[in-house]
Amino acid sequence: MTEKFAVRPALSTTPAYIPGKPPAAVEGIESYKLSSNENHLPPLPGVVEAAARAAGTPSHYPDPAAVALTEQLANHLGVPAERILFSAGASEMLASLARITLEAGTEVVYPWPSFEMYPQVTALAGATQHAVALTADFRHDLDAMAAAITESTRLVLLCSPNNPTGSVIRRAEFDAFMARVPSRVLVVLDEAYWEFGTDPEAVDGLAAQRTHPNLVVVRTFSKAHGLAGLRIGFAVADPEIILELRKAVLPFSVTAMAQAAARESLSRVSEVEVRAKEIAGLRDELISGLREQGWQVPESHGNYVWLPLTAGAADFEAQALAAGVAVRNLKDGVRISVGPEAAMSRVLEVAGRFRAAVER
């Protein structure tokens, strides 16, 4: 009898990442994919052209240190270049952070529900996971998260705005939390949706690093900049942490095309910020429309809206798909990415019919 190939034991408890479903084709209407938090707006002028020029020599490796982009971003953020490291999307950076901190016998703390890669990358490292439930209003329960930290904890993951619920961590509660975290524990603040936020009290990870050297801020060009398909994210952290991360991030993982597109987009950052606020406006209009129908929708600061559901999540997803709209079914609810106005109108139609049927 042929023996089964051998894999690490940690794989038995590691969930596979399941991407958002594509929309179904429905005759006579346009379909919309609102299941992956993609930026629905067209690329900024010059971004595609910059990427195309960089693709002219595919036989050459990209700059492994992304020197030009690092210097440009350092100037924009007002931080030294040695505090910045790029990766193939924020996802690779999160996986690298798990690799440099976690192993069997160690522990990680993260909120739940939150970004679906947290359980994947931390389980793969062999760590014991403490997934701390959100509060009743879908925010981080920072008191419970602080209480979950033990002598074996090496990593804490925070997400603000939180994916999928959209809540932000506010400065005062963040500082109170960090005061309870031992300095030996690395705390990651995942700010992938930072640009869409409109809460003036939300913690700014870059500002918080001035007093919390064990804090790592992770951001991305995928969302507000609209470069998800090119895979480029980055971390800002103490230079000693960056040095260790360089050992875990794969060499040449950020392509020349991604670097060139990010540089062009960063040179137009004021336009990126305006577009992000336009998307935030559509988000708030969607929330308002859903609340008018009677839905209890939490405030969101991402480019998505969380619709709390339990047993009805699969039914809502199916009805949305039948109407040409793909949403993200996460069992306890559905996450709806912000799309064009026509897509938002379609979502409201589906939600209105669904709610009327439930209340009948």
Side-chain angles (χ1 to χ4, degrees):
M1 181 177 178
T2 303
E3 283 189 285
K4 185 179 179 181
F5 65 91
V7 297
R8 294 177 53 227
L11 283 166
S12 64
T13 57
T14 300
Y17 182 81
I18 301 173
K21 291 182 180 178
V26 178
E27 187 176 352
I29 62 172
E30 183 176 357
S31 294
Y32 300 99
K33 184 184 179 187
L34 307 179
S35 55
S36 294
N37 289 349
E38 294 160 328
N39 191 323
H40 72 278
L41 296 174
L44 285 168
V47 170
V48 172
E49 292 79 3
R53 288 193 297 272
T57 52
S59 59
H60 294 181
Y61 287 112
D63 175 5
V67 172
L69 178 58
T70 300
E71 291 178 354
Q72 186 179 355
L73 183 61
N75 289 332
H76 170 63
L77 297 179
V79 300
E82 59 266 26
R83 297 180 66 89
I84 296 173
L85 181 64
F86 282 92
S87 58
S91 298
E92 186 193 20
M93 190 61 69
L94 292 167
S96 298
L97 284 158
R99 283 196 290 269
I100 70 169
T101 56
L102 302 177
E103 59 190 339
T106 64
E107 298 177 4
V108 58
V109 177
Y110 55 81
W112 198 254
S114 195
F115 184 32
E116 292 168 276
M117 282 205 70
Y118 297 163
Q120 180 185 29
V121 299
T122 57
L124 192 58
T128 298
Q129 300 166 303
H130 295 285
V132 178
L134 301 178
T135 62
D137 56 350
F138 306 103
R139 304 181 70 250
H140 284 49
D141 189 340
L142 292 175
D143 283 339
M145 292 186 72
I149 296 173
T150 72
E151 287 296 318
S152 299
T153 304
R154 296 268 189 87
L155 183 66
V156 174
L157 299 171
L158 306 174
C159 190
S160 180
N162 185 50
N163 174 16
T165 62
S167 61
V168 292
I169 301 171
R170 298 190 173 98
R171 285 190 298 272
E173 62 181 343
F174 178 81
D175 288 336
F177 171 77
M178 291 298 290
R180 298 175 62 183
V181 178
S183 59
R184 61 177 172 76
V185 176
L186 214 59
V187 178
V188 177
L189 184 58
D190 181 350
E191 294 184 326
Y193 301 93
W194 165 255
E195 295 88 346
F196 301 107
T198 53
D199 187 339
E201 296 301 315
V203 63
D204 177 346
L206 297 181
Q209 283 184 330
R210 298 177 194 136
T211 50
H212 304 296
N214 59 328
L215 177 65
V216 179
V217 175
V218 175
R219 293 185 182 178
T220 184
F221 281 80
S222 292
K223 306 303 180 180
H225 287 265
L227 301 183
L230 291 176
R231 312 307 303 128
I232 181 161
F234 61 94
V236 182
D238 183 277
E240 291 187 11
I241 299 173
I242 294 295
L243 180 64
E244 301 304 327
L245 279 170
R246 289 188 187 280
K247 302 173 185 177
V249 172
L250 293 175
F252 309 112
S253 66
V254 182
T255 67
M257 291 175 65
Q259 292 181 41
R263 289 193 67 194
E264 182 62 31
S265 190
L266 192 57
S267 73
R268 295 173 171 271
V269 71
S270 60
E271 297 172 64
V272 172
E273 292 167 352
V274 168
R275 285 155 57 109
K277 294 305 181 276
E278 289 174 357
I279 290 171
L282 287 172
R283 172 201 69 206
D284 293 344
E285 288 176 11
L286 176 60
I287 291 174
S288 179
L290 289 167
R291 287 176 175 172
E292 287 176 6
Q293 293 178 355
W295 295 98
Q296 299 298 310
V297 183
E299 182 178 312
S300 176
H301 291 277
N303 66 331
Y304 48 87
V305 170
W306 176 244
L307 198 59
L309 292 161
T310 49
D315 288 341
F316 188 98
E317 178 192 30
Q319 290 186 33
L321 282 171
V325 178
V327 298
R328 183 77 152 168
N329 173 15
L330 294 170
K331 311 307 179 188
D332 291 328
V334 295
R335 190 194 67 200
I336 305 165
S337 304
V338 174
E341 288 187 32
M344 302 295 88
S345 296
R346 187 88 55 80
V347 168
L348 287 172
E349 291 172 8
V350 171
R353 288 196 298 269
F354 186 91
R355 188 164 185 85
V358 169
E359 293 176 343
R360 223 176 265 139

